[in-house]
Amino acid sequence: SVTGRSIEIDVPGTSRLLAVTRLDGGQLLACGTHGALVVVEGGEARDVPWGRTGHLYAAVSSPDGGAFAVGSGGHALAIAAPPPALRGVAPPATLEAVQTTRDLLGVTVDDAGVAWAIGAQGRLLARRAGTWSRVPVELGSANLIAVATREVPRALSNTDGPRVREVVVLAEDGTVVEVRLGD
């Protein structure tokens, strides 16, 4: 059996938290409506400063120990890994360049360390060098609601070339699209 303890923490100024992920130092990073972005550590919640210019709908840990958060109006943030020497200090968040103004509803990171975001009107974006670029998918204008990634085994990829990665997205109308990418 699994048992655990519950801690209730009040996050002032936050009406609704929508996603949570873990940072490298063990802290939790939560995001939500009205731009809420907080680090929870040791029973305390600290705001992570940024412009708070939209809602944040999803978050995922990044390979460097920080995180990415995405949200309304095409917002995408890179949250730095918290330096161990600065316990109790919120890590910096940087608003990144994004090739859409549509809402971003989900985010994940693949095995190669590439972050992927999905969103309204069939938007699929890949993050490279601090910029989130659109990846064309034949999906129409359905909102994308879920994203997953995986490396495709060579036996299934029908190629002898570089490894193949696959991004699988789910649209709100039930459509599933697999996008295969070579390295």
Side-chain angles (χ1 to χ4, degrees), residues 23 30 39 49 69 108 133 136 174:
L23 300 173
V39 171
T108 192
S133 300

Side-chain angles (χ1 to χ4, degrees), residues 52-182:
R52 281 189 164 233
T53 54
H55 305 298
L56 296 174
Y57 298 128
V60 66
S61 299
S62 63
D64 67 0
F68 300 113
V70 298
S72 64
H75 283 89
L77 298 168
I79 297 92
L86 296 177
R87 300 290 279 184
V89 175
T94 304
L95 192 58
E96 297 191 311
V98 181
Q99 290 183 344
T100 188
T101 57
R102 302 294 180 203
D103 291 352
L104 297 176
L105 307 171
V107 63
T108 192
V109 175
D110 68 20
D111 292 341
V114 177
W116 296 87
I118 48 119
Q121 294 191 335
R123 299 302 196 260
L124 172 63
L125 296 101
R127 180 184 184 270
R128 302 235 191 249
T131 299
W132 297 76
S133 300
R134 284 188 60 188
V135 176
V137 291
E138 297 299 322
L139 197 65
S141 62
N143 292 336
L144 301 181
I145 59 172
V147 61
T149 62
R150 72 180 184 131
E151 188 168 326
V152 178
R154 291 225 186 267
L156 299 177
S157 69
N158 298 325
T159 181
D160 293 327
R163 75 177 173 181
V164 174
R165 287 178 292 132
E166 182 176 75
V167 178
V168 180
V169 295
L170 172 65
E172 67 185 354
D173 65 2
T175 303
V176 176
V177 176
E178 297 176 341
V179 180
R180 289 200 174 172
L181 307 161

Side-chain angles (χ1 to χ4, degrees), residues 9 25 27-28 39-46 87-89:
I9 300 170
Q27 305 90 337
L28 296 176
V39 171
V40 179
E41 177 181 24
E44 293 181 19
R46 290 179 306 285
R87 300 290 279 184
V89 175

